[in-house]
Each structure stands twice: as structure tokens, then as C-alpha cells.
Amino acid sequence: RSYRREGELGAAEARLQLAARLAEPYAPLYYELGQLRQARGDTAAAREDFGRARALAPTYAPPEVDVLRQLLAQEKYERALTRADSLVQEQSYWLLYFPKARALLGMGRYTEAREVLRGRCEPLNDESYALYALLADTYVGMEVWDGVRWAVQQAETLTPRRSTFVERVSDVRAV
């Protein structure tokens, strides 16, 4: 992290790769490596690292994401958005963009939510049922019915991890 803060991304990546080779498989390490590779513009490698982290610990989320989830559960959308924007400045990766999109959606800022979901989340995690469920909600708010249909179809090709998103896609489909 200190190498990354100092802008020495190559040195930071080398240290993380060394740690990955020497240590037991550890999800937070792969999230860090994915985050660094995303910052360097290597989307394909970042995606692999994030996938490796999810495979090692499907329920793991960095502490920052847990804070954002708590704010969203309390419907404190403004605070969640402010916090997400602040965190994204330091560590730009998809697990922070998803709560940002949820906050924007909660505030009725549908176009911005769609831009975050399609531009930041989908390129790194297009196998997320939750992503397409949220996109379906976003398109409903925008009244873009072809988009709703497309998002629901995308979600239906994937395996959901949380029942709340399955229920929401069912509700959207019914409407």
C-alpha cells in the first residue's frame, strides 16, 4: 500500500505477486492485487484476481465495502455516495463502485447509476447477478423498457448469490 500511495505501482505489484507466491491463498491479497492492476489499466488481470479472491472467500468484502453496505441499509444515500466517492479516489475498484451505484439509484439519479454500473462494474464483473438486478431497477427508473428486458435476461443467465436480488428481478419481471 505504501508503494501504491507513493505512485510506485510496479514495485507494489511486484510485492503483492511475491506475497501471493509465498503465502497461503488469501482473498484480501488478491483483492489488493486486482485493485492495483485495475489502477494500472490491466482490466483482464484485475478481473482474474477479483475472481480468485471471490473463489477463495465468497463472502469476503473489504472493510470499506461493509461500511458502505451499512449506510445503504440505513438508506443514508447521500453519506454512502460521499463516502464511496472518497474511497474511489484512493482505491478505484468495482466493489466500491457497486455501492456507489446503489446510492445513486436510491437518490433517483438513474442515468448516473447506469453509467457507473455499465462503465465501472460490468467490465470487471459481468458475471454478477446483483449487477444486472440493479441495472434492471435503474432502467425501470429511467423507463427504458428494452433495457429492463435486457438486464433481466442477463441476470437469468447467471447464478444468484443473494435472494434479495432474485426477489427484485422477479418483481421487475412481473411489472
Side-chain angles (χ1 to χ4, degrees):
R1 287 183 178 166
S2 63
Y3 280 122
R4 189 174 66 228
R5 276 192 299 271
E6 293 171 14
E8 297 179 37
L9 300 182
E13 184 172 353
R15 293 292 177 141
L16 285 169
Q17 287 177 339
L18 177 63
R21 283 193 306 272
L22 297 176
E24 292 290 320
Y26 185 56
L29 177 89
Y30 286 104
Y31 274 111
E32 287 286 330
L33 192 53
Q35 176 183 334
L36 179 71
R37 288 180 169 167
Q38 183 178 352
R40 294 186 75 191
D42 191 350
T43 302
R47 184 181 184 134
E48 287 177 25
D49 291 326
F50 291 140
R52 209 173 284 134
R54 277 193 309 277
L56 289 169
T59 60
Y60 172 78
E64 300 91 347
V65 176
D66 283 335
V67 171
L68 291 172
R69 287 177 180 165
Q70 289 172 2
L71 291 171
L72 291 167
Q74 297 166 2
E75 297 183 6
K76 296 180 179 178
Y77 301 121
E78 288 283 345
R79 285 185 58 199
L81 180 59
T82 301
R83 178 114 172 129
D85 280 337
S86 172
L87 290 167
V88 163
Q89 298 302 313
E90 298 172 18
Q91 18 181 349
S92 175
Y93 65 119
W94 69 274
L95 275 177
L96 296 174
Y97 282 106
F98 192 77
K100 176 179 178 170
R102 286 185 55 207
L104 289 166
L105 184 61
M107 296 165 62
R109 294 165 58 180
Y110 304 112
T111 303
E112 292 171 81
R114 184 195 65 208
E115 289 170 7
V116 170
L117 291 167
R118 295 297 312 267
R120 297 295 185 164
C121 296
E122 190 177 28
L124 288 167
N125 191 15
D126 64 354
E127 296 176 6
S128 168
Y129 190 96
L131 166 71
Y132 294 107
L134 207 57
L135 268 168
D137 273 338
T138 301
Y139 285 125
V140 166
M142 297 171 70
E143 297 184 7
V144 176
W145 308 116
D146 287 339
V148 173
R149 197 170 10 266
W150 171 83
V152 168
Q153 288 170 348
Q154 294 299 111
E156 289 176 337
T157 66
L158 301 168
T159 304
R161 288 180 28 198
R162 290 186 22 210
S163 62
T164 55
F165 290 112
V166 175
E167 292 170 18
R168 184 61 196 142
V169 168
S170 294
D171 293 345
V172 168
R173 189 182 314 109
V175 170

